[in-house]
Amino acid sequence: MDLTLWQYQFRIIMLGDSTVGKSSLLKRYTEDLFLESINQTVGVDFYVHFLEVEPGVRVKLQFWDTAGQERFRSVTRSYYRNSVGGLLVFDITNRASLDNVKDWYAEVCEHVQPHKVLFVLVGQKSDRDSEGERVVSRQEAEKLAGQMGMPYVETSAKNGQGVREAFELLTRRVYQGLLSGEVQMQEGWDGVKCAATHLQRASLAQPNKGPKEDKKCCP
Ligand code: GTP
Ligand code: MG
């Protein structure tokens, strides 16, 4: 697959308290790596990954990995508005991180009006369940996710369980939203980009190598 060609770009934001494992999830998904000691995020970091949502439809996922620490809040807030999707992450061994999910959700909803961010709730560090360290049950998390109108997935960045599922569920949710009209591309909003402009630019830069667009992108 030629990774420079894509039909859509989705901007996805990672949100949740510090140390729940947002950066570790992205590292696992994009590089298949896990680090026991990983730097706390300062402000916002970028990650990119490509996913084929159906044969011939490639999506460039651009991730904003935000810092959970309160002191970076004013920086991370500025990324909410141009996100089309988000992973709302808590740690199943940390009850406060679940309680705070409601605040993260309320804060985003308030800042993105009139847009909407499609979320998946993620219960991280599921590998620690077997060590008896779980304090949030799956049922409790599923109930909260249901109240907020989003699906729930449990993950472990450490052993990889559920990680691909969480990212792919979110990506397909956004893609379905585009097809159904729930998500709409608009001037001045960068949550979703269609490849038309991107491909045109690529062919201008390489006139002899026209884009091999195998599927039309905009619904
Ligand atoms: P901020 O950048 O401060 O917002 O934190 P973060 O949410 O990005 O957390 P980070 O990925 O930095 O992980 C924090 C700590 O949790 C690190 O020591 C990780 O190694 C550990 N960790 C992350 N994911 C997992 C997991 O799935 N299982 C276990 N056991 N530890 C994890
Ligand atoms: Mg981080």
Side-chain angles (χ1 to χ4, degrees):
M1 168 161 69
D2 182 348
L3 294 185
T4 59
L5 294 183
W6 44 268
Q7 280 73 36
Y8 292 104
Q9 175 183 277
F10 298 165
R11 286 202 168 144
I12 309 286
I13 195 159
M14 305 291 291
L15 291 172
D17 282 5
S18 183
T19 76
V20 297
K22 300 178 295 298
S23 305
S24 300
L25 268 178
L26 278 170
K27 257 210 161 343
R28 171 62 77 190
Y29 184 55
T30 61
E31 298 171 50
D32 203 18
L33 277 179
F34 176 73
L35 306 172
E36 287 287 349
S37 62
I38 176 168
N39 287 335
Q40 286 199 322
T41 307
V42 174
V44 175
D45 279 339
F46 273 117
Y47 290 75
V48 168
H49 195 74
F50 294 83
L51 183 68
E52 200 161 29
V53 283
E54 61 173 278
V57 181
R58 286 179 289 274
V59 176
K60 177 181 178 182
L61 298 168
Q62 196 173 69
F63 295 105
W64 308 117
D65 179 23
T66 70
Q69 285 186 315
E70 178 69 41
R71 66 195 168 104
F72 296 113
R73 204 57 47 85
S74 58
V75 182
T76 57
R77 267 192 198 114
S78 60
Y79 290 85
Y80 299 166
R81 203 179 105 31
N82 280 308
S83 304
V84 67
L87 290 189
L88 207 45
V89 187
F90 73 95
D91 171 354
I92 64 158
T93 71
N94 174 348
R95 174 154 294 280
S97 72
L98 178 78
D99 297 338
N100 290 336
V101 152
K102 295 169 217 154
D103 297 337
W104 284 106
Y105 181 63
E107 167 156 313
V108 173
C109 292
E110 185 192 324
H111 278 83
V112 299
Q113 305 257 7
H115 299 288
K116 211 173 122 182
V117 178
L118 296 175
F119 279 111
V120 169
L121 180 65
V122 177
Q124 245 280 86
K125 308 196 184 180
S126 64
D127 57 284
R128 293 179 67 184
D129 190 8
S130 57
E131 296 160 26
E133 292 183 83
R134 177 194 283 272
V135 297
V136 177
S137 70
R138 183 184 276 272
Q139 290 88 325
E140 183 180 0
E142 275 171 352
K143 189 170 165 209
L144 177 64
Q147 286 164 357
M148 297 188 296
M150 58 183 78
Y152 175 62
V153 179
E154 290 200 344
T155 59
S156 166
K158 189 167 183 172
N159 66 21
Q161 188 214 343
V163 174
R164 260 194 33 207
E165 183 193 345
F167 284 101
E168 293 189 9
L169 182 66
L170 179 63
T171 307
R172 290 181 205 289
R173 211 175 162 221
V174 172
Y175 184 59
Q176 286 308 320
L178 264 177
L179 298 182
S180 69
E182 186 189 1
V183 174
Q184 294 191 349
M185 287 181 266
Q186 281 167 12
E187 275 293 310
W189 178 70
D190 291 334
V192 174
K193 279 190 185 162
C194 175
T197 18
H198 167 78
L199 289 171
Q200 273 161 15
R201 268 196 228 114
S203 63
L204 281 176
Q206 294 176 291
N208 298 328
K209 284 192 182 177
K212 289 178 278 173
E213 195 180 1
D214 34 6
K215 267 226 167 147
K216 199 168 169 290
C217 89
C218 306

